[in-house]
Amino acid sequence: MYNSAFILVLLFFSVRGDIYQVCSRRQWEGIQYVVTGTVEAGVPTMIQSTIQFSFDANNSRIAASTSGFQDGHQFQRDFLFLYEQKTVYVIEDGNCHAEHLVNDFPPHCLPRNFTWEWARTWYGFELPDDELIIFGYTGDVGDLHYKVQMSGELMTPALQQIFGNYNNEPFFQTSEVVNTTRGIKNPDVFTLPSSCESAKVEGTYETPKYLLGATFPRDPSV
């Protein structure tokens, strides 16, 4: 069974009293490139995936189309996470199956123990005064160490690295988010496909708790 590793860190600055917290825009879209290395059943595995996603915190739903390779085997699968219905639909090879969502809508803030490390300004865009500011954060969740970069202009994720151990196995993941836009351009991405209309909810899906943000770490049927 192929995994399709996917992690989003969804960021912007919000102020609560005198405490700054890094959280996400309520609605945004983008394309994410992910490389994950881990161990499954004692066997090292490498997963490369591309995810086109739409994140809608206002309506507690996420749509994502994923494709990639795991150890040389190609996969393609689409996800529709409807958290108000506590259901995830997975479409693969024209077939659709549904599972009960164990988790609530994913967190879209970095933990408060994460710290700001640096800020960099990049020039060279269309207009002479154009610039891009990138902020860097670091922190730990359990036995995993995170390095997160975000865009100061869009307040959206740019790059993330994770390394350490999970379930007593070595884990590494690097991800980059590109073509990020605010809002939802086409709400139809959240329309249930006809192949899913008769799908009965069978089994459960639980997102691994070590990931930050919206995650699609594996085939829910596993």
Side-chain angles (χ1 to χ4, degrees), residues 139-154:
D140 296 302
V141 177
D143 294 327
L144 292 171
H145 182 70
Y146 288 75
K147 289 184 177 294
V148 179
Q149 297 179 20
M150 62 169 290
S151 163
E153 267 60 46
L154 290 175

Side-chain angles (χ1 to χ4, degrees), residues 40-54:
E40 295 182 358
V43 179
T45 184
M46 179 69 71
I47 308 162
Q48 299 168 292
S49 55
T50 300
I51 306 99
Q52 184 168 353
F53 64 87
S54 299

Side-chain angles (χ1 to χ4, degrees), residues 9-10 25 27-29 53-55 157 177 180-184:
V9 177
L10 314 167
R25 297 289 177 182
Q27 294 179 318
W28 64 290
E29 298 175 307
F53 64 87
S54 299
F55 177 84
V177 183
T180 306
T181 57
R182 298 175 182 174
I184 304 297

Side-chain angles (χ1 to χ4, degrees), residues 36-113:
T36 302
T38 187
V39 175
E40 295 182 358
V43 179
T45 184
M46 179 69 71
I47 308 162
Q48 299 168 292
S49 55
T50 300
I51 306 99
Q52 184 168 353
F53 64 87
S54 299
F55 177 84
D56 183 2
N58 289 342
N59 299 288
S60 300
R61 56 189 183 177
I62 300 169
S65 179
T66 73
S67 61
F69 293 86
Q70 179 174 356
D71 298 331
H73 299 282
Q74 188 171 9
F75 62 84
Q76 167 68 51
R77 104 184 24 102
D78 296 328
F79 295 85
L80 182 57
F81 281 61
L82 303 178
Y83 284 87
E84 290 184 351
Q85 300 178 20
K86 285 290 187 180
T87 304
V88 55
Y89 294 91
V90 185
I91 303 96
E92 186 174 11
D93 297 328
N95 300 314
C96 178
H97 72 268
E99 298 200 17
H100 174 72
L101 277 172
V102 175
N103 307 89
D104 294 328
F105 192 77
H108 56 281
C109 298
L110 291 179
R112 292 187 183 275
N113 65 332

Side-chain angles (χ1 to χ4, degrees), residues 161-192:
Q161 290 183 334
I162 313 170
F163 54 90
N165 289 281
Y166 181 69
N167 286 340
N168 297 318
E169 299 287 2
F171 181 92
F172 170 80
Q173 185 178 84
T174 182
S175 60
E176 181 180 4
V177 183
V178 299
N179 293 354
T180 306
T181 57
R182 298 175 182 174
I184 304 297
K185 292 181 179 179
N186 180 15
D188 289 344
V189 297
F190 297 108
T191 300
L192 196 65

